[in-house]
Structures are given as structure tokens and as C-alpha cells.
Amino acid sequence: MTFTFDCRHHDSGRSATVAAGTAIKTLTEFGASMHKVRMVEERGFRPVPPGHHIARLDTPTLAPTGLKRRWQLPPTQYLIGWRHEERPYSAVLGSVTARFKGGLKMSRKWKWAAAIVPLALSGGIGSGVAQESAARGPTDCVVQPGDVVGCQPSAFDPPHQQIPTRRINDKGDLDPSATAEQVMAGARLVEEQLGLFRNVEHLHWVPLVPSVLDPATGQYAGGDMDGEGSGRALTIIGQCLFAGHSVPSDVSRDIQIFRLSEDPIANPPVQVSSLPMPRPGMDDTLMSGSLYTRADGTQTITLIRDNSNDDGALWAYEVDPETCLVTNESEEYDFGGDFHEFGMWIDPQNEKRVLIVSAAGSGSGRPDPLRPGQLTPDIRVIAITDATTGYILPKPITLAQHSLQEVGGPVRGERPDATGLFADGRYPDYTHLTNLRGTAGATMTAQNNTVHQATFSADGERIYVAGGVAGFYVINSEAIAHNSDADLAAGTAGCNFESTNVYVDGVIGGDIDGARLGEVVNDCLHMVVNDDPGVQELIAQGNFGAYFALHDRSRFDPFPPILASTGMHSAIAVPNRPSLDQRNDAERPAYIVLTTERPGAACPTSWMYILSIEMETFPTVLSTFGVPQNEVATCLETPMLEPDGVTTRRNLAWQNHNPTVFENLIFVSWYGQGVRVIDISNPFDPREVGHAVPAPAGVARSYPVVRDGLFYWVDNDTGLHVARYTGPRADELPQDGRTYEGNTTPHF
């Protein structure tokens, strides 16, 4: 029998059939679309047109999207042909053994004609496809004048079912008994076959957690090579690399300290020391630090470490830059709850002055251990060093703090009314849908309205806030930049240490006290909207309705209807591209890169925004960037089986996470989607110019750290990776011996 499939594109309705023989039910009769198969070049086949590869298909199941029906195909040899929407020609690629694994999937963004025909019955099909190709002819990409990036494919859609998530041997097959050498060889084989790195050279894979061998079975488990690691934070300071972990409550795992090689392209970092966890069960969510010369002429590294869990805390360390060994540490700074992420600022006028801005996440609104009787704020600015000597403080000191709900913003832990309506809208409900694992889709029953991450501007006069589902906003921190730490800590800097509560009798959500509303502009940390002279006039007039309309507008807040339970995850300014507004005499940035997060396995997944803050009081979206899996229907079809078609894949997360941003390029960790390199030279049209999705599949989580043209990241599951970007604008990456990471300004 000859099998013929007619594939129809959902939006255009166009379809094509390429086959001869007896047709069975076509996919278009069921109203289904197909998703992209990742292609693998192999020898012995006919030449393939540019951009096309030969498909390796594996399992006896063809599963149309959204349907439970299955077509059983016997393992045999088939001919495969297809047509691409942007390059409208087709080609028969020769025979290939098909053992289908999870079904044939093709992207909706591509219009395909796929013919799958047993080899013995394939008479005449090759000439038919070839004739169509000749008739249509290739269409070359047109590069616009001055476009450095040129022609680029759409965002990479990894062939998830073909990427193993567990230990593999040198053939790329699941094998819990494979040696470390076999795992390394198999990983490179899979990465090359599946095109998992584009415009990126994978230089080194450095497992951080060793696997444990069971002598009874001869099998390994529990390590990075098994996809079962515990990697978390990463930073590089001088020649020292620090990699942290997140572990269960009864486990301790040291920060691992490495030294970079003199030739980091040829040789991986080498571990030289470690730094113990202060207590078991920590989550080293983030680390940053600075290399500088102290007042006494000695060089030092200041390293900052946060613990992001329910007993969140902060520690600072001094490290010898020659040996990478820790020489001193501070007392614990107790947050009284989650201390989620932070941004580090090095005063450009005094490199010995190192501050952080911390985001409390779910820890805000809890009893404050530093101020009995008070609640923990959303944001704290904290001094790490003595700005005069350059030595770390015995214990970090709070200089100022801010809470959005105190100044009239959305309240923490907001609940909807009985119909599901929140104060700012309604969320979609996907709970009636299930993915292939049986996990229900997501909805929202509460809004956290807490801060997830914040970063300083280079001059320290602004803080860019990723405020969870309260959105993005900008804080005026000029009082921090232009007053001494001593004056700020003593309350003699002429500004309010904490946010002014604008409600009558301090009752959050009650009636507004106009006098207090006018005091907000005197807070050491306050939203830039309060500096606007027109807004100040509205307050003076008592026109609170108009004031709060503008106050809300000063936050870029797409939640709802966008469904992301964390909301805004990271907010990083684009450097060297200032706003051209005539009032911008401080050369403040024109653009912000925002990532979003929706934790857990339920669909949908999260994506990225590019915002204009040319008028920083009223940010607005210019563009978004996402991957195919961001579409709910595609997310629901995320495969659950390993390439063997039997073993269940590890359940990866898919959040768009932490970006390191340059003038024209973004390097962003995207959990199960790996690391993506995105060109933003035109902020209205971001384009992916490279991707890095290591095998075995894991969760790329840390900020990508860029140094001398290489970039480093820690994968939660598989450890430390080192790569070199080789695509468009690679020559723009700094080669100055400094470290560039998203949450640190200026870079060091």
C-alpha cells in the first residue's frame, strides 16, 4: 500500500499532496496541522536544497496534532519529500528507515507536502516531486541594504522527542551504564545530528555533580551526566568562576570555585576550591561580585551570594584573585523570607562602593527580622562594602527600601471576585486542556504583585523593576547614587528610608490621604511617575482619580490577560542606546529587555518583551520574541517520551529566564529551550541569530556570563557549559577581559 498525507496549514488553508498510489485518510480531513520534524543529514542520500535536511523518523506512530487517532506504520524504508513556504520548492531525499518515535511533526509556520511511501511501492513519486520543484524554482532570501544579520530562520523549535534527557552512550542512545567518555561522545553526536547548536560552538561541558555508580547494576545515577544535577547560580570575577547549587533541605552542596584557563577556548575551567553552604537545603539562586583595589592597595574580589527559599539570606565574601580562595566572609543578612534575586551596582565614581538592590519575591509582607513590628518590603538597597576602605562590611546594611502597595499600587496576594475578575482584568482558563503527560493547562487564581528582580542603571540613578504580575516600572534612586552610605543608613540623607504609606490610618486599599500622597516624592526610592510635574499638580488639586490612572499607566502590566504566575522575571536595560527625548540629559536608556516566567509544567509557557522607556514614566511595548512552544496548542503537544519511544522523558521546565544584554545582542537562558542569541539592532523586529541546546536536554537557568567572546551558563540538570558565539555581530562582543552578566551594572 502507498501512504499519502495531505498537510494543510491552519491559517492559510493551503495544502499539498505529493504521492502516487492509494490514499488513506488525510490529516486535513480531521482539520489537523502537523509540526516540524528536525532533519538530520546522513551520507548516501541525494543532494538536499539549502536549508533542508534528511529526516530521521523513529516509531510506528504518526500522531496528528490534537487527535487521539494513530496510524500504525510498519518499520521499513520510506521516501520523504516536502515543500517549504518561504523557499517554494520540493525534493525527494532518498530512502530512510523510519521507526517513528512519537509521530511526524511539522511546524505550522511551514507549509509542507509530505509523502511517506514504502520503498517497494515508490514507483514514480520521485519524478513527480522533482518536476514540481523545477516548475516552482527556488526563491532566494533578499537582504536589505545595511542589514548585518541577513537571512535568518525563525526561532529554533528543538526536536524535543529526539533529544534524550537521560544518560546516553556514544551512539546517542539511552544507556545508564555508559562511561563518562561515552556520554561526552554521545552528547556531541546528538548535538551535531539534530542541529542543536547554530552559530554557536559548544567548547566545553563541565559536569558539576558527579554520577554515582551502583556496583550491583553497573548503572549510574544522580549526576549531571544523568540529567539529574543541581546547578544554579554562576558568576565569573577576574579569573575565578563560581558555580552554585540548589538542593533539598537535608543536603549541602558547596559553591564550586574554578579558575579559567589561559586558553579558555582549548581548555575548560579547572576546579581549585569550594565554598560550603552556610546551612543545608539552600538555593544559590544568584551570585555576583566585583574585582577592585582596596584603599590599602590590595586587590580583592567581593562575592555576593543569595539564598532564595523561605529562609532567604545574603552573605558576602572576600576572595583572593590570584588563588580564588576565600579569605573573609560577612555575617548572615536575614531577609525574613524569600530573597529571590538581586542586581549589583558598582559606583562608577568609586569602585570600592558595592551595593545591591534585592527583590523579596514571595518574602515581601512578612515579619521583618531587621525591624521588629514591621513587614518586609518589596525592594531593599543594601551596602555590601565599606565605601572608604573597600573591605566587606561585617554585616550588610540596608540603606533604603520600597513597597509598591504602600504607595497605592496593586496589593500583594490579590484575589479575584466570585466571577474570576481581578481589579485589572480577567485571565484565560486552560484547565480543561491536558498535555501529553495528563497535566492540566493553567489559569490564575491570585496575583502575587511582588517584585521578582531589579537592576540599577549604570549611573545608579534608576532601578528597573521586574515587578511580577504588577508589571514593569522604574524607580528613582538618585538619593542612593548621590548620598553616602553612612548618611543613608543614619537617616540623614534628606529622604524617607521607606515608602510612604498613602492610605488613611495606613489601611492598605482604603481611602487615600492626599497629604501623604504628596510625600512620596521625598522617599529615597520612589516611582519616577511621582517626579512628573503634571502628576504633582494632580496631587495638589486632589484629583486622585486622574493620578491613579497615570500611576497605573506608569507600569507596563500585561497581566491579565497574559497568563504568567510569576509575571515579569528580569528587567535589563539595553546599553549604549540612550533615549533621544530632549529631556534625557542623563543619557538614560531607550529600551528594556523583559523576560517573563510561568513556573511549573502546565501550559502556556513564557516569552520576552522589548519595551521603549524613552519616556520612562510611561513604558510601552515595541515587540515580543517567543518560540513555537509559546502557543498553547503546541505546548500541549510537547513530547513525553525519550527517543526510544518507551521511556518517559524527564519533565523539564520551559521558562524564558535571565538575559545578558548588549547594544545589539541578547543572550538569554530559556530553561528547556536552551540559550538563545537574539539580534535587537531593530528593537521592533528581534531575530534569533543563534541557539545552544545541549544534549542531554536540561534547564538553562543562570544569566549567561560573557567574557572575551565566550559565554558560560549553568544548566540546572547538566552543569556548566562554555560556548563561543560565531554568528552575526560576534565581532561586537567585548574582548576586554571584563565580565558581562545581566544583573550587574556597570560591568566589571
Side-chain angles (χ1 to χ4, degrees):
M1 175 180 290
T2 299
F3 298 101
T4 302
F5 293 97
D6 181 351
C7 304
R8 182 182 301 275
H9 188 273
H10 265 207
D11 298 327
S12 68
R14 292 180 58 186
S15 63
T17 301
V18 184
T22 304
I24 63 172
K25 288 281 188 182
T26 64
L27 293 179
T28 51
E29 291 180 49
F30 295 106
S33 69
M34 303 177 75
H35 294 272
K36 183 171 61 177
V37 177
R38 178 61 193 172
M39 307 304 174
V40 183
E41 284 188 311
E42 294 188 349
R43 296 179 181 177
F45 293 100
R46 303 182 189 183
V48 182
H52 289 183
H53 299 279
I54 293 167
R56 173 180 291 167
L57 308 172
D58 298 297
T59 102
T61 303
L62 179 66
T65 301
L67 300 178
K68 299 299 183 183
R69 295 176 174 82
R70 297 288 188 269
W71 285 271
Q72 301 297 322
L73 303 179
T76 183
Q77 287 194 316
Y78 299 90
L79 289 178
I80 301 175
W82 65 83
R83 184 174 68 226
H84 187 286
E85 112 176 276
E86 295 172 353
R87 292 182 289 274
Y89 48 79
S90 304
V92 169
L93 305 179
S95 63
V96 59
T97 299
R99 295 167 304 156
F100 288 44
K101 292 182 180 174
L104 179 63
K105 291 193 171 183
M106 294 181 176
S107 170
R108 291 185 183 181
K109 295 183 179 179
W110 304 49
K111 299 180 179 70
W112 297 87
I116 304 180
V117 185
L119 190 62
L121 302 174
S122 63
I125 185 172
S127 59
V129 179
Q131 288 170 6
E132 181 185 22
S133 175
R136 297 179 64 90
T139 300
D140 294 331
C141 170
V142 176
V143 179
Q144 299 299 322
D147 185 359
V148 174
V149 174
C151 296
Q152 297 292 329
S154 58
F156 182 52
D157 187 10
H160 296 296
Q161 188 155 339
Q162 298 178 52
I163 309 173
T165 67
R166 304 173 187 275
R167 196 178 190 93
I168 56 177
N169 59 28
D170 54 0
K171 296 180 174 59
D173 297 325
L174 297 185
D175 186 351
S177 62
T179 66
E181 292 76 13
Q182 289 173 327
V183 175
M184 288 286 185
R188 290 302 171 94
L189 178 66
V190 171
E191 289 168 3
E192 291 172 4
Q193 288 183 334
L194 300 182
L196 300 184
F197 284 72
R198 184 178 78 87
N199 287 340
V200 175
E201 181 182 0
H202 196 184
L203 298 174
H204 309 297
W205 174 20
V206 183
L208 301 175
V209 180
S211 301
V212 178
L213 176 64
D214 183 342
T217 64
Q219 296 183 353
Y220 293 89
D224 286 348
M225 287 192 168
D226 314 294
E228 299 172 355
S230 62
R232 219 51 161 194
L234 171 70
T235 193
I236 298 173
I237 314 168
Q239 292 297 113
C240 307
L241 181 151
F242 304 84
H245 295 271
S246 177
V247 293
S249 60
D250 59 344
V251 175
S252 287
R253 188 159 285 154
D254 296 352
I255 286 178
Q256 292 162 274
I257 305 177
F258 293 77
R259 188 164 183 83
L260 300 183
S261 165
E262 294 299 321
D263 184 355
I265 295 175
N267 302 307
V270 176
Q271 185 169 353
V272 295
S273 184
S274 62
L275 180 58
M277 278 189 171
R279 54 175 177 262
M282 280 182 48
D283 180 350
D284 281 321
T285 290
L286 207 60
M287 291 186 292
S288 286
S290 179
L291 170 64
Y292 57 90
T293 301
R294 292 179 289 218
D296 61 10
T298 58
Q299 270 207 327
T300 189
I301 288 172
T302 291
L303 173 69
I304 306 163
R305 169 193 213 170
D306 91 38
N307 173 35
S308 173
N309 54 28
D310 244 10
D311 58 348
L314 164 72
W315 292 265
Y317 304 88
E318 291 175 343
V319 179
D320 184 330
E322 294 299 321
T323 64
C324 301
L325 300 179
V326 174
T327 59
N328 188 25
E329 66 179 270
S330 72
E331 296 178 34
E332 174 184 328
Y333 180 105
D334 185 1
F335 273 79
D338 182 20
F339 165 27
H340 203 74
E341 294 200 8
F342 67 86
M344 185 180 75
W345 181 62
I346 305 161
D347 190 335
Q349 307 303 317
N350 176 12
E351 67 175 359
K352 299 183 291 297
R353 187 187 187 206
V354 178
L355 309 182
I356 67 166
V357 53
S358 68
S362 62
S364 60
R366 299 187 182 189
D368 190 340
L370 303 176
R371 301 182 308 143
Q374 303 294 315
L375 299 180
T376 52
D378 293 342
I379 287 173
R380 291 184 176 108
V381 171
I382 302 169
I384 303 299
T385 60
D386 182 316
T388 301
T389 68
Y391 283 85
I392 61 172
L393 294 166
K395 182 176 182 177
I397 298 173
T398 309
L399 304 182
Q401 56 191 43
H402 182 270
S403 290
L404 183 62
Q405 72 168 16
E406 303 291 317
V407 297
V411 298
R412 303 183 189 115
E414 180 190 354
R415 300 284 176 174
D417 68 11
T419 72
L421 182 68
F422 288 88
D424 53 353
R426 186 183 298 277
Y427 287 96
D429 185 349
Y430 300 117
T431 56
H432 63 295
L433 304 172
T434 57
N435 64 16
L436 296 181
R437 294 176 180 269
T439 303
T443 191
M444 292 273 284
T445 58
Q447 295 198 121
N448 55 54
N449 295 328
T450 57
V451 176
H452 197 85
Q453 185 261 15
T455 53
F456 278 102
S457 61
D459 62 8
E461 293 185 352
R462 293 292 184 269
I463 293 174
Y464 303 113
V465 181
V469 294
F472 164 81
Y473 51 97
V474 182
I475 284 179
N476 181 327
S477 54
E478 293 173 19
I480 303 297
H482 300 300
N483 284 285
S484 70
D485 294 348
D487 284 343
L488 288 162
T492 58
C495 58
N496 303 321
F497 169 80
E498 60 187 339
S499 296
T500 298
N501 185 316
V502 301
Y503 293 97
V504 174
D505 297 327
V507 178
I508 300 297
D511 294 331
I512 296 297
D513 184 327
R516 291 184 179 182
L517 197 61
E519 278 293 311
V520 171
V521 74
N522 296 319
D523 297 345
C524 297
L525 301 175
H526 60 268
M527 294 173 67
V528 292
V529 68
N530 292 94
D531 295 316
D532 188 289
V535 170
Q536 292 179 357
E537 181 62 25
L538 291 174
I539 296 172
Q541 295 171 356
N543 190 346
F544 302 148
Y547 166 79
F548 280 108
L550 291 171
H551 191 273
D552 289 345
R553 176 62 187 83
S554 73
R555 292 179 291 108
F556 170 69
D557 180 8
F559 317 107
I562 300 301
L563 205 163
S565 50
T566 295
M568 295 304 175
H569 183 280
S570 299
I572 311 296
V574 178
N576 305 321
R577 297 176 75 171
S579 167
L580 299 182
D581 182 85
Q582 67 175 341
R583 290 157 292 194
N584 183 26
D585 53 6
E587 294 291 296
R588 295 203 175 93
Y591 309 117
I592 284 282
V593 174
L594 283 179
T595 59
T596 62
E597 184 178 49
R598 210 218 63 74
C603 295
T605 55
S606 59
W607 58 87
M608 175 187 297
Y609 293 89
I610 310 295
L611 297 191
S612 167
I613 55 168
E614 291 204 275
M615 178 49 63
E616 62 180 1
T617 308
F618 304 112
T620 190
V621 65
L622 297 181
S623 59
T624 62
F625 182 86
V627 295
Q629 194 197 41
N630 292 139
E631 186 179 23
V632 176
T634 303
C635 176
L636 293 170
E637 294 297 318
T638 301
M640 63 171 290
L641 297 179
E642 295 280 3
D644 63 5
V646 177
T647 308
T648 301
R649 299 180 93 234
R650 291 186 305 106
N651 197 8
L652 305 180
W654 305 102
Q655 289 95 291
N656 176 231
H657 208 238
N658 281 323
T660 293
V661 181
F662 295 91
E663 182 176 345
N664 292 308
L665 290 174
I666 301 170
F667 291 76
V668 59
S669 57
W670 207 311
Y671 273 47
Q673 299 284 351
V675 175
R676 303 301 176 98
V677 187
I678 303 163
D679 180 276
I680 55 168
S681 55
N682 178 357
F684 296 88
D685 182 26
R687 290 180 287 175
E688 184 172 290
V689 290
H691 62 255
V693 185
V699 171
R701 186 184 185 281
S702 73
Y703 281 97
V705 179
V706 179
R707 181 185 172 91
D708 289 338
L710 307 186
F711 68 99
Y712 303 70
W713 74 98
V714 165
D715 185 293
N716 281 9
D717 301 334
T718 64
L720 172 65
H721 297 268
V722 186
R724 174 168 55 182
Y725 171 63
T726 60
R729 302 188 189 278
D731 59 344
E732 295 181 11
L733 294 179
Q735 300 277 348
D736 55 9
R738 302 171 74 189
T739 296
Y740 294 78
E741 60 185 14
N743 65 311
T744 298
T745 50
H747 299 291
F748 56 94

